[in-house]
Amino acid sequence: MSDTRTPWAQHALIQAVFFLMGAELFLASPLLPTISADFGTTIASTAWVVTVFGLAYAVASPVLGALTEHLPRKRVILAGVAVFAVGEMLCALSPGLGWLLAARAVGGIGGALVGPAMWAYLAETAAPRQRGRAIAGGTAAYAGGQIVGVPLATVAAAALSWRFAFAAVAVGLVVAGSLIALRLRESVPAARTRKSPFAALASSLTLWRVGVFRTIMAGNFFVQAARLGTYAYAGALFSTRFGFGTSVLGLVGMVVGVGSLIGSLVSGPLIDRWTSAGRHVSVLTVGWGLLMAVGLGVATTATTWQLALAGFVLSFFSGTGFFSTAQVYLTTVMAERRAPAVSWNNSVLYIGTGAGTTILGFTSLGSTAFAACSVAFALLAAGFSALLATHRS
């Protein structure tokens, strides 16, 4: 690929998969009551439908990233899309909760395989001066999927069946995968030398010896703990504090998704202009982190639903800007090691979300301690970014 022109048409094929991944991630939650009633299981046990996808993704991502590092990106992307599509179709056909959980794990493994390869592809094929827009395009597509995920699930469950939502994603993946197979140009050739699986995993682990890599991971860990860890309790906050019902909570999710989408669209050009001026990109993540702390402080302490919603929108706007900026920096400084680096990063993001949700769960919902922990996570993300800003690549 040329270093002077960004193949935006090629990137659109990748963004289609990111859109479907975003929709898939957020469509399961509103389906839980329907799935529970269909299988005769409790809501608590059915909730593992949401959790198992993230667990499979987090565990598989660094392993698969290391084992596929030497392979051409297009081949890995196609394999990941295929596994993901199979997992979604198995979800639609599952005869019971155990089968559904296993199918969700298959989908998580497919996501872990395709995600890092797609982020690496965007970074490798973008012109250096447009890398911010390229990465932000992926996050924008993901946010767009988030916006439609909840209404897609609720409409499908009401009009047809919860199974139709998973089947629709599977069909979309088949279409996107077919277009990628026909039209996507390869970014990098296969490596001339191949490592054994043990050597590949050992090499991937050596990334943690790099101080800059560890600092990036720490910042991303805390930004997810702040943003998604807090958002896990948004429904409960709006329900208990403002009396919102389930249907209204779906609209809250859509509005927050719009905040993510706008954050992606704003951050891309901003990153490119910032780096073109010779400024360190991590200075931007400091600003995003501080802005997110303000948004979360408002969201968790507001006495009106309008102000609370504005706080969550601001936190997702700035959180997505943080992610896009950090992803640009990670894929730049890791250079040829960007695929396993992004794999570890994806795993850290899921772990950060789980850790934030767990820690906030030990506080009283809506209490001062709850708000303080949420804001502290965002400030820690900004603090690690400040450390990165002192590093000269």
Side-chain angles (χ1 to χ4, degrees):
M1 289 284 184
S2 170
D3 288 334
T4 59
R5 297 182 60 186
T6 301
W8 298 114
Q10 301 285 300
H11 285 200
L13 300 174
I14 301 298
Q15 290 163 6
V17 180
F18 274 128
F19 178 88
L20 292 167
M21 291 179 69
E24 200 282 343
L25 181 64
F26 287 90
L27 66 78
S29 295
L31 295 177
L32 293 183
T34 307
I35 296 173
S36 176
D38 193 10
F39 289 152
T41 55
T42 65
I43 291 291
S45 60
T46 311
W48 277 97
V49 170
V50 178
T51 306
V52 74
F53 182 92
L55 288 175
Y57 196 121
V59 172
S61 184
V63 176
L64 293 175
L67 296 179
T68 61
E69 179 183 6
H70 66 284
L71 297 175
R73 303 289 184 236
K74 180 177 178 179
R75 190 186 307 174
V76 178
I77 290 171
L78 286 174
V81 169
V83 174
F84 201 175
V86 168
E88 294 304 293
M89 189 54 68
L90 289 175
C91 287
L93 300 174
S94 295
L97 181 59
W99 287 94
L100 180 58
L101 294 178
R104 289 285 285 168
V106 172
I109 292 171
L113 183 59
V114 71
M118 291 196 300
W119 288 119
Y121 185 93
L122 294 180
E124 289 163 352
T125 57
R129 68 182 184 280
Q130 296 176 326
R131 187 168 288 151
R133 285 180 58 195
I135 296 296
T139 59
Y142 199 93
Q146 174 186 348
I147 294 171
V148 304
V150 172
L152 170 66
T154 53
V155 169
L160 298 166
S161 166
W162 61 267
R163 300 175 185 276
F164 180 80
F166 290 106
V169 174
V171 172
L173 287 168
V174 170
V175 173
S178 299
L179 291 174
I180 288 172
L182 293 172
R183 303 186 61 181
L184 190 71
R185 298 193 300 272
E186 187 56 77
S187 61
V188 293
R192 294 182 179 179
T193 58
R194 297 182 59 177
K195 301 174 183 176
S196 68
F198 178 81
L201 291 172
S203 175
S204 179
L205 287 170
T206 61
L207 288 172
W208 290 95
R209 298 178 183 175
V210 182
V212 171
F213 177 77
R214 293 196 303 269
T215 309
I216 295 173
M217 294 299 101
N220 287 345
F221 173 91
F222 283 110
V223 79
Q224 289 298 93
R227 181 176 60 150
L228 293 184
T230 305
Y231 183 69
Y233 298 96
L237 282 171
F238 278 95
S239 177
T240 58
R241 187 175 289 176
F242 308 117
F244 278 28
T246 303
S247 59
V248 181
L249 291 176
L251 294 177
V252 170
M254 289 181 60
V255 173
V256 170
V258 171
S260 293
L261 179 61
I262 297 174
S264 301
L265 298 176
V266 169
S267 62
L270 178 60
I271 293 167
D272 291 334
R273 287 198 296 269
W274 191 271
T275 54
S276 296
R279 302 186 184 99
H280 200 295
V281 71
S282 288
V283 175
L284 280 178
T285 54
V286 175
W288 292 125
L290 294 176
L291 189 61
M292 185 169 55
V294 172
L296 290 173
V298 171
T300 54
T301 60
T303 55
T304 65
W305 70 264
Q306 294 92 338
L307 198 56
L309 181 59
F312 274 113
V313 170
L314 179 60
S315 67
F316 269 70
F317 167 84
S318 52
T320 302
F322 188 108
F323 173 81
S324 297
T325 309
Q327 196 83 324
V328 168
Y329 188 55
L330 176 66
T331 54
T332 299
V333 297
M334 291 295 103
E336 290 79 9
R337 305 302 311 283
R338 58 174 57 95
V342 171
S343 299
W344 279 112
N345 185 55
N346 289 348
S347 183
V348 166
L349 293 176
Y350 277 101
I351 295 171
T353 300
T357 303
T358 301
I359 293 172
L360 289 170
F362 287 116
T363 67
S364 297
L365 183 66
S367 66
T368 301
F370 183 93
C373 283
S374 178
V375 172
F377 291 150
L379 292 177
L380 284 168
F384 281 106
S385 296
L387 292 177
L388 287 173
T390 64
H391 174 76
R392 298 298 170 186
S393 303

